Each structure stands twice: as C-alpha cells, then as structure tokens.
Amino acid sequence: MSAWGNKDSKTASGTVAISSAGAVTGSSTALTTQAAVGDYIRVASEDYLITAIASDTAATVVAGVPGATLTAVGSATAYTLSEKPKSVSTSESKNSSGTQGDPT
C-alpha cells in the first residue's frame, strides 16, 4: 500500500483519448466506478489529475505536474489509474523555466 492513498494502482478498463484542453473520452471505460476526482490517469509515462467525471466514458483532467502543459493523447490508448499525493513540496515543483523550487 502506498503512503499517500489506498492503492498505488487501481483497476482501469478500456482505453482513453485526452484532448489538449483536458477532455477525456473513454472507450469501454467505467470511470464513474473505477476512478474518483483527485485520482491520476497515467498514459504513456505522463500523469493527468482527474478534476471531474461526467460519465463512464467522459472526464476532465489537468496536467499531473503543477505548471506543466497538458499533452494530448491519441485515441485507444491504454492507461492506469492511481491514488498519488495531491500536492508537492516547494523543492519538488518546477517554475516556468523548468528549474526546481518554485512554490507556485
């Protein structure tokens, strides 16, 4: 068990696509029962924080790292769900120039 949530990884059925605006479109997903607001979707080594779940196949995300740009993901992409820390310390966050230590 992780130190920050109940599960390092959670069941994640189906596939997803993520637009550059943060709209998640699922195929054969069960987001309302498998995910929760505040969980992370991990796709292709990128984390996305779930901010809203509208249905089993629709959700909204933001970049999983504060200050990062959201990267779009093509359709039919496998993903995992995870409970992770919801905040980072000042030493962990990056500023706009990519250096560590910006508290914003």
Side-chain angles (χ1 to χ4, degrees):
M1 181 187 332
S2 70
W4 48 75
N6 293 327
K7 298 177 183 173
D8 288 331
S9 62
K10 298 169 66 173
T11 300
S13 59
T15 59
V16 295
I18 302 174
S19 75
S20 60
V24 176
T25 304
S27 176
S28 300
T29 53
L31 297 174
T32 59
T33 57
Q34 295 177 347
V37 170
D39 284 352
Y40 286 82
I41 292 176
R42 184 160 182 87
V43 179
S45 301
E46 293 285 332
D47 289 327
Y48 302 84
L49 176 64
I50 300 172
T51 58
I53 299 173
S55 70
D56 276 341
T57 58
T60 305
V61 296
V62 295
V65 176
T69 302
L70 192 125
T71 304
V73 175
S75 63
T77 305
Y79 71 103
T80 59
L81 292 168
S82 178
E83 295 177 351
K84 292 186 177 189
K86 305 307 185 266
S87 62
V88 295
S89 71
T90 301
S91 64
E92 293 173 306
S93 62
K94 292 184 180 180
N95 64 20
S96 59
S97 64
T99 58
Q100 301 296 107
D102 182 3
T104 61

